[in-house]
Amino acid sequence: IQNQGVEISLGITPVMTEDFRWKTSFNFSTNKNKVIELHPDLKTFVYGDEGFSSSYSMRLVEGGALGDIYGKAFERDEATGQIVFSKDEDGDLVPNVVGSGNTVKVGNSNPDFMLGWGNTLTYKGFSLYFLIDARIGGDVMSLTQADLDSRGVTKETAEARDRGYVEYQGQRFENVKGFYGTTGGRNGISEYYMYDATNIRLRELSLGYSFPQSLLAKTKVFKGIDLSLVARNLFFFYKDAPFDPDATLSVGNNNQGIDVFGMPTTRNIGFNVKFTF
């Protein structure tokens, strides 16, 4: 596996006066990997449990990349690209699936690039810091959404029932139950549950205050008293996926970019007091 990437950091101080200072920093990073060669006896390598029954698998294929996600896709008409239908046991039209097993590449969990923008503003004894993170590109899959859709308990399925049809890529599927019965579930059509992993968030925010030395001198005890309020993962400015793309099932090689009933991301807020004697 060949990796090629770059990371660039830039820090500047646009404003600096006797009472006020603004420091800002930018960080850009990107990495591309490619599977150059596998063992001669391996046309493809599935890492993780090869007998695992689900609508995805993580595969290595020569010319591909680490993080490629393979799954099931809709069968499409070669001329028009439209999804092909067939009739179920009740005679209703449902979308067809390409082949059997997870044989179609449906995405890659790695971002195209990542950005960070940090800022520190100080005014006399006050300081404000915030960090905005951006992950641009990459794909994630939500088996949580797939399973809940198959049970008809999501907002999306309720809205489809109210409309009387599901609309996907310009096509209408009037058999709502049949559509989600085919696409949803543990072994459904994974193409439908792929999402853009792009997200922009306020990663960290802190507000602090340091007591002035003129006041501390009167105590004859403290050399410094610092108060700070620190918060992390406050909110998203933008997110496409129905879950936090950073909080996937595993940080190992088996489940990158996969969500299976994961715990929601937590927002945490803390308060610090520091005394210096």
Side-chain angles (χ1 to χ4, degrees), residues 3 12 16 18 31 72 75 94 99 101 109 117 136 138 165 192 197 222 234 257 277:
N3 283 275
I12 58 175
M16 185 169 60
E18 183 177 350
N31 181 75
K72 301 179 178 68
E75 181 182 352
V94 293
S109 61
W117 182 36
I136 309 299
Y165 61 88
Y192 187 74
F222 301 108
L234 283 174
F277 298 94

Short mmCIF file of all heavy atoms in Angstrom, two decimals, residues 3 12 16 18 31 72 75 94 99 101 109 117 136 138 165 192 197 222 234 257 277:
data_model
loop_
_atom_site.label_atom_id
_atom_site.label_comp_id
_atom_site.label_asym_id
_atom_site.label_seq_id
_atom_site.Cartn_x
_atom_site.Cartn_y
_atom_site.Cartn_z
N ASN A 3 1.21 5.31 0.33
CA ASN A 3 0.57 6.51 0.86
C ASN A 3 1.33 7.75 0.40
O ASN A 3 2.56 7.79 0.46
CB ASN A 3 0.55 6.49 2.40
CG ASN A 3 -0.51 5.56 2.94
OD1 ASN A 3 -1.66 5.94 3.08
ND2 ASN A 3 -0.12 4.33 3.25
N ILE A 12 -0.43 33.03 12.19
CA ILE A 12 -0.15 34.46 12.08
C ILE A 12 -0.83 35.21 13.21
O ILE A 12 -1.75 34.69 13.85
CB ILE A 12 -0.61 35.03 10.72
CG1 ILE A 12 -2.12 34.78 10.52
CG2 ILE A 12 0.17 34.46 9.57
CD1 ILE A 12 -2.68 35.42 9.26
N MET A 16 -2.20 43.02 16.98
CA MET A 16 -1.52 42.99 18.27
C MET A 16 -1.33 44.43 18.76
O MET A 16 -0.59 45.21 18.15
CB MET A 16 -0.19 42.26 18.20
CG MET A 16 0.48 42.11 19.57
SD MET A 16 1.90 40.97 19.55
CE MET A 16 2.97 41.77 18.37
N GLU A 18 -1.48 46.93 22.67
CA GLU A 18 -1.12 46.82 24.08
C GLU A 18 -2.14 46.01 24.87
O GLU A 18 -1.79 45.24 25.77
CB GLU A 18 -1.00 48.22 24.69
CG GLU A 18 -0.55 48.21 26.16
CD GLU A 18 -0.38 49.61 26.71
OE1 GLU A 18 -0.43 50.58 25.92
OE2 GLU A 18 -0.20 49.73 27.94
N ASN A 31 -4.23 12.88 2.45
CA ASN A 31 -3.46 11.66 2.23
C ASN A 31 -4.23 10.77 1.26
O ASN A 31 -5.44 10.58 1.41
CB ASN A 31 -3.23 10.90 3.54
CG ASN A 31 -2.41 9.64 3.32
OD1 ASN A 31 -1.20 9.71 3.11
ND2 ASN A 31 -3.06 8.48 3.36
N LYS A 72 -23.98 -3.84 -1.70
CA LYS A 72 -24.99 -4.17 -2.71
C LYS A 72 -25.48 -2.89 -3.35
O LYS A 72 -25.59 -1.85 -2.70
CB LYS A 72 -26.15 -4.92 -2.06
CG LYS A 72 -25.74 -6.23 -1.38
CD LYS A 72 -26.94 -6.90 -0.74
CE LYS A 72 -26.55 -8.23 -0.09
NZ LYS A 72 -25.68 -8.04 1.08
N GLU A 75 -29.72 -2.61 -9.41
CA GLU A 75 -29.51 -2.98 -10.81
C GLU A 75 -30.06 -1.85 -11.68
O GLU A 75 -31.16 -1.34 -11.44
CB GLU A 75 -30.23 -4.29 -11.14
CG GLU A 75 -30.02 -4.74 -12.58
CD GLU A 75 -30.78 -6.01 -12.91
OE1 GLU A 75 -31.36 -6.64 -11.99
OE2 GLU A 75 -30.84 -6.35 -14.12
N VAL A 94 -40.68 -3.81 -7.01
CA VAL A 94 -39.61 -3.51 -6.07
C VAL A 94 -38.30 -3.42 -6.85
O VAL A 94 -38.15 -4.06 -7.91
CB VAL A 94 -39.48 -4.57 -4.95
CG1 VAL A 94 -40.70 -4.55 -4.05
CG2 VAL A 94 -39.27 -5.95 -5.54
N GLY A 99 -26.49 -8.74 -8.60
CA GLY A 99 -25.82 -9.96 -8.17
C GLY A 99 -26.18 -10.38 -6.75
O GLY A 99 -27.25 -10.08 -6.24
N GLY A 101 -24.21 -10.95 -2.76
CA GLY A 101 -23.01 -10.64 -1.98
C GLY A 101 -22.60 -9.19 -2.16
O GLY A 101 -23.19 -8.43 -2.93
N SER A 109 -14.05 5.39 2.90
CA SER A 109 -14.25 6.11 4.16
C SER A 109 -13.26 7.26 4.38
O SER A 109 -13.45 8.08 5.28
CB SER A 109 -14.15 5.14 5.34
OG SER A 109 -12.86 4.53 5.37
N TRP A 117 -9.14 25.46 11.73
CA TRP A 117 -8.94 26.90 11.89
C TRP A 117 -9.09 27.24 13.36
O TRP A 117 -10.18 27.16 13.91
CB TRP A 117 -9.94 27.68 11.04
CG TRP A 117 -9.77 29.18 11.12
CD1 TRP A 117 -8.61 29.87 11.23
CD2 TRP A 117 -10.83 30.14 11.08
NE1 TRP A 117 -8.86 31.22 11.28
CE2 TRP A 117 -10.21 31.42 11.18
CE3 TRP A 117 -12.22 30.07 10.98
CZ2 TRP A 117 -10.96 32.60 11.20
CZ3 TRP A 117 -12.95 31.24 10.98
CH2 TRP A 117 -12.32 32.49 11.08
N ILE A 136 -13.63 17.07 4.66
CA ILE A 136 -14.23 17.23 3.35
C ILE A 136 -14.07 15.94 2.54
O ILE A 136 -12.96 15.47 2.33
CB ILE A 136 -13.59 18.40 2.57
CG1 ILE A 136 -13.56 19.67 3.44
CG2 ILE A 136 -14.34 18.64 1.27
CD1 ILE A 136 -14.91 20.17 3.88
N GLY A 138 -15.14 11.80 1.40
CA GLY A 138 -15.26 10.49 2.04
C GLY A 138 -16.71 10.05 2.12
O GLY A 138 -17.64 10.85 1.90
N TYR A 165 -45.33 7.53 -1.76
CA TYR A 165 -44.27 7.03 -2.63
C TYR A 165 -42.90 7.41 -2.05
O TYR A 165 -42.79 8.31 -1.21
CB TYR A 165 -44.38 7.58 -4.05
CG TYR A 165 -44.27 9.09 -4.14
CD1 TYR A 165 -43.04 9.73 -4.26
CD2 TYR A 165 -45.41 9.88 -4.08
CE1 TYR A 165 -42.93 11.11 -4.33
CE2 TYR A 165 -45.32 11.27 -4.14
CZ TYR A 165 -44.08 11.87 -4.28
OH TYR A 165 -43.99 13.24 -4.32
N TYR A 192 -27.99 2.64 -1.04
CA TYR A 192 -29.01 3.60 -0.61
C TYR A 192 -28.65 4.24 0.73
O TYR A 192 -29.12 5.34 1.04
CB TYR A 192 -30.36 2.89 -0.49
CG TYR A 192 -31.52 3.82 -0.22
CD1 TYR A 192 -32.03 4.64 -1.23
CD2 TYR A 192 -32.11 3.87 1.04
CE1 TYR A 192 -33.09 5.49 -0.99
CE2 TYR A 192 -33.18 4.72 1.29
CZ TYR A 192 -33.67 5.53 0.27
OH TYR A 192 -34.73 6.38 0.51
N ALA A 197 -19.51 12.03 3.92
CA ALA A 197 -18.95 12.20 5.27
C ALA A 197 -18.54 13.64 5.56
O ALA A 197 -18.09 13.93 6.68
CB ALA A 197 -17.75 11.28 5.46
N PHE A 222 -1.83 34.47 46.66
CA PHE A 222 -1.90 33.93 45.30
C PHE A 222 -1.02 34.70 44.33
O PHE A 222 -0.97 35.93 44.35
CB PHE A 222 -3.34 33.97 44.78
CG PHE A 222 -4.32 33.20 45.63
CD1 PHE A 222 -5.24 33.88 46.41
CD2 PHE A 222 -4.29 31.81 45.64
CE1 PHE A 222 -6.14 33.18 47.18
CE2 PHE A 222 -5.19 31.11 46.42
CZ PHE A 222 -6.12 31.79 47.21
N LEU A 234 -19.47 21.25 20.20
CA LEU A 234 -20.69 22.00 20.51
C LEU A 234 -21.79 21.79 19.47
O LEU A 234 -22.93 21.52 19.82
CB LEU A 234 -20.36 23.48 20.64
CG LEU A 234 -19.70 23.87 21.96
CD1 LEU A 234 -19.27 25.33 21.94
CD2 LEU A 234 -20.64 23.61 23.11
N GLY A 257 -15.97 3.91 8.75
CA GLY A 257 -17.06 4.55 8.04
C GLY A 257 -18.40 3.87 8.18
O GLY A 257 -19.34 4.20 7.46
N PHE A 277 0.39 29.54 43.68
CA PHE A 277 0.86 30.12 44.95
C PHE A 277 2.32 30.53 44.83
O PHE A 277 3.09 29.97 44.08
CB PHE A 277 0.69 29.10 46.07
CG PHE A 277 -0.73 28.70 46.31
CD1 PHE A 277 -1.26 27.58 45.71
CD2 PHE A 277 -1.56 29.45 47.15
CE1 PHE A 277 -2.57 27.18 45.92
CE2 PHE A 277 -2.86 29.07 47.37
CZ PHE A 277 -3.37 27.93 46.77
#
